[in-house]
């Protein structure tokens, strides 16, 4: 395997700090959600960043498999819900991917979503480590 691209980001201050990409395109303040004991400030958090990345990546993978199957997925939408769970003394992530493909019947959508789950780097990376549920929306 050859590396096609490497992204680099640096965090400082943990969950209540700041994150920046090496190219300066991403500069965000972080806040701890009140649901996990933080002040619920205006910044984003790691779970939101993971959800955004996973949704975008999965929608891209859906486009790849759509083209392979000659199905138009241009208007598809993917919403990723990323939960933070307590797992003994540590924490774990829980993901639900909600996928909507307008104009595509449920059976075809299910097939495409399952194929995208095999192709998407986030899905490959989380397989066996994170509970990921795939939900087809009408």
């Amino acid at each position: 395997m050859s590396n096609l691209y490497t992204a680099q980001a640096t965090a400082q201050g943990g969950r209540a700090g700041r994150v920046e990409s090496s190219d300066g395109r991403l500069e965000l303040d972080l806040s701890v959600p009140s649901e996990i004991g933080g002040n619920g400030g205006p910044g984003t958090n790691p779970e939101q960043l993971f959800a955004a990345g996973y949704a975008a990546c999965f929608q891209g993978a859906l486009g790849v498999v759509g083209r392979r199957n000659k199905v138009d997925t241009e208007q598809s939408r993917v919403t990723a819900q990323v939960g933070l769970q307590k797992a003994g003394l540590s924490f774990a992530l829980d993901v639900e991917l909600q996928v909507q493909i307008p104009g595509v019947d449920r059976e075809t959508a299910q097939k495409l979503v399952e194929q995208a789950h095999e192709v998407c780097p986030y899905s490959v990376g989380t397989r066996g480590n994170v509970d990921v549920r795939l939900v087809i929306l009408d």
Side-chain angles (χ1 to χ4, degrees):
M1 243 185 341
S2 63
N3 190 17
L4 299 174
Y5 171 74
T6 299
Q8 180 178 322
T10 300
Q12 186 172 5
R15 286 182 163 271
R18 183 165 179 73
V19 65
E20 296 179 6
S21 63
S22 59
D23 62 6
R25 293 181 184 183
L26 179 73
E27 296 180 6
L28 298 170
D29 291 326
L30 302 172
S31 297
V32 180
S34 57
E35 294 87 346
I36 60 172
N39 68 1
T44 189
N45 60 66
E47 291 72 34
Q48 287 178 331
L49 294 170
F50 189 82
Y54 203 159
C57 189
F58 196 88
Q59 204 276 333
L62 193 58
V64 168
V65 300
R67 286 187 294 281
R68 287 182 186 166
N69 288 276
K70 296 179 178 27
V71 177
D72 183 6
T73 61
E74 186 81 19
Q75 299 302 312
S76 64
R77 292 175 52 99
V78 176
T79 299
Q81 293 184 342
V82 174
L84 181 64
Q85 300 179 338
K86 186 82 167 124
L89 297 176
S90 62
F91 296 90
L93 296 176
D94 172 76
V95 176
E96 181 172 292
L97 297 175
Q98 300 172 352
V99 183
Q100 185 176 31
I101 312 173
V104 175
D105 65 86
R106 183 171 278 280
E107 184 178 325
T108 301
Q110 184 69 43
K111 176 180 150 186
L112 294 174
V113 166
E114 288 172 5
Q115 289 177 9
H117 195 46
E118 294 300 314
V119 171
C120 174
Y122 276 67
S123 292
V124 171
T126 58
R127 190 163 292 121
N129 299 308
V130 175
D131 179 27
V132 178
R133 292 174 308 286
L134 305 173
V135 177
I136 310 298
L137 302 176
D138 293 327

